C-alpha cells in the first residue's frame, strides 16, 4: 500500500497505519486473518456492533472445564489415591461433559459463524438490522467464501467467493480496499438473487 493513499474505508486506513501480515502458506493463519478482517470492516465501516454471546459461552465452558481438570489433578496430587478417586473421577466426568458441550456448540450450533451483530437505525421507528456472517475456506482451490444474512427493514442474503490472492497480496498483507469493497457489496440488496 502506498503511504499517502486516500481510502474510502476506515478499516483500510487503520491497516495502512498498522498492516496485518500473514504467512500466506499457512491456511489457518490466512483464514483467521480474513475472518478478523471481515469483522473489522463490519464494525469500522458499517457501524455494526458485535454480539459476543457465542465467544462468552465458549470462554465460560472452556474455563469451567479447565477448572475441573486442574482442580481434580491438584486434589489427586495432594491426597491419597483411595481418598481422592471419587472426586478426581467426578472432575474427569465434568471436564468431559463440558468439553463435549463446547464441541457440540462449535460444530452444530455456531458452525462457520464469524460475526453476529446489530446496527441500530437513526430513528426509533426503525428496527435494528441484525447480521450473521459465515465464512468457509477451501484448501483445495484456496477459496474464501463469505456469506451474509441481514434481517431488518431490507433483508439481504448474499455471498462472495474469492481466491486468497484477491484479498492477500504476495507479501502476505491484507488488500484492505478490495476486502472492504467486497464486504460492502454483500450488504446491498440485489434484485436478481
Amino acid at each position: 500500500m502506498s503511504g499517502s493513499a486516500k481510502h474510502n474505508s476506515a478499516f483500510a486506513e487503520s491497516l495502512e497505519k498498522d498492516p496485518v501480515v500473514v504467512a500466506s502458506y499457512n491456511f489457518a493463519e490466512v483464514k483467521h486473518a480474513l475472518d478478523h478482517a471481515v469483522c473489522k470492516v463490519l464494525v469500522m465501516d458499517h457501524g455494526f456492533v458485535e454480539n459476543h454471546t457465542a465467544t462468552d459461552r465458549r470462554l465460560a465452558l472452556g474455563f469451567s472445564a479447565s477448572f475441573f481438570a486442574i482442580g481434580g489433578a491438584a486434589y489427586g496430587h495432594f491426597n491419597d489415591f483411595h481418598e481422592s478417586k471419587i472426586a478426581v473421577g467426578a472432575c474427569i466426568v465434568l471436564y468431559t461433559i463440558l468439553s463435549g458441550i463446547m464441541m457440540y456448540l462449535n460444530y452444530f450450533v455456531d458452525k462457520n459463524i464469524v460475526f453476529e451483530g446489530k446496527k441500530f437505525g437513526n430513528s426509533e421507528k426503525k428496527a435494528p438490522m441484525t447480521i450473521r456472517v459465515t465464512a468457509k475456506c477451501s484448501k483445495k482451490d484456496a477459496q474464501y467464501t463469505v456469506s451474509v444474512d441481514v434481517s431488518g427493514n431490507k433483508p439481504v442474503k448474499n455471498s462472495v467467493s474469492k481466491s486468497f490472492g484477491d484479498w492477500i497480496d504476495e507479501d502476505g498483507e491484507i488488500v484492505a480496499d478490495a476486502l472492504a469493497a467486497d464486504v460492502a457489496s454483500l450488504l446491498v440488496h440485489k434484485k436478481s438473487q
Side-chain angles (χ1 to χ4, degrees), residues 80-152:
D80 183 49
F81 172 74
H82 295 292
E83 180 183 316
S84 66
K85 65 183 176 183
I86 293 175
V88 170
C91 287
I92 291 170
V93 169
L94 287 170
Y95 171 81
T96 304
I97 290 170
L98 291 172
S99 295
I101 291 170
M102 187 167 60
M103 286 175 45
Y104 174 81
L105 290 171
N106 284 339
Y107 288 108
F108 297 110
V109 177
D110 296 337
K111 295 182 184 172
N112 298 317
I113 297 171
V114 294
F115 185 88
E116 287 184 302
K118 287 186 178 190
K119 181 177 183 180
F120 299 94
N122 295 340
S123 71
E124 291 184 20
K125 293 179 183 177
K126 276 188 163 181
M129 289 179 14
T130 59
I131 187 169
R132 175 176 280 180
V133 179
T134 58
K136 295 179 188 174
C137 278
S138 170
K139 272 187 184 180
K140 183 177 70 172
D141 52 3
Q143 291 282 319
Y144 184 79
T145 303
V146 182
S147 301
V148 172
D149 188 3
V150 179
S151 60

Side-chain angles (χ1 to χ4, degrees), residues 1 7-9 11-12 14-15 20 30-42 45-46 114 133 135 144-146 148 160-169 173-187:
M1 278 187 232
H7 301 283
N8 294 330
S9 163
F11 170 72
S14 74
L15 279 190
V20 173
V30 168
K31 170 137 177 34
H32 180 70
L34 289 174
D35 289 350
H36 188 70
V38 167
C39 295
K40 290 294 231 178
V41 169
L42 291 169
D45 292 349
H46 301 285
V114 294
V133 179
Y144 184 79
T145 303
V146 182
V148 172
V160 65
S161 186
K162 297 276 185 144
S163 167
F164 291 160
D166 291 336
W167 290 333
I168 296 178
D169 67 14
E173 283 190 40
I174 291 179
V175 182
D177 289 323
L179 180 66
D182 286 337
V183 171
S185 74
L186 288 172
L187 299 175

Side-chain angles (χ1 to χ4, degrees), residues 21 24 38:
V21 180
S24 55
V38 167

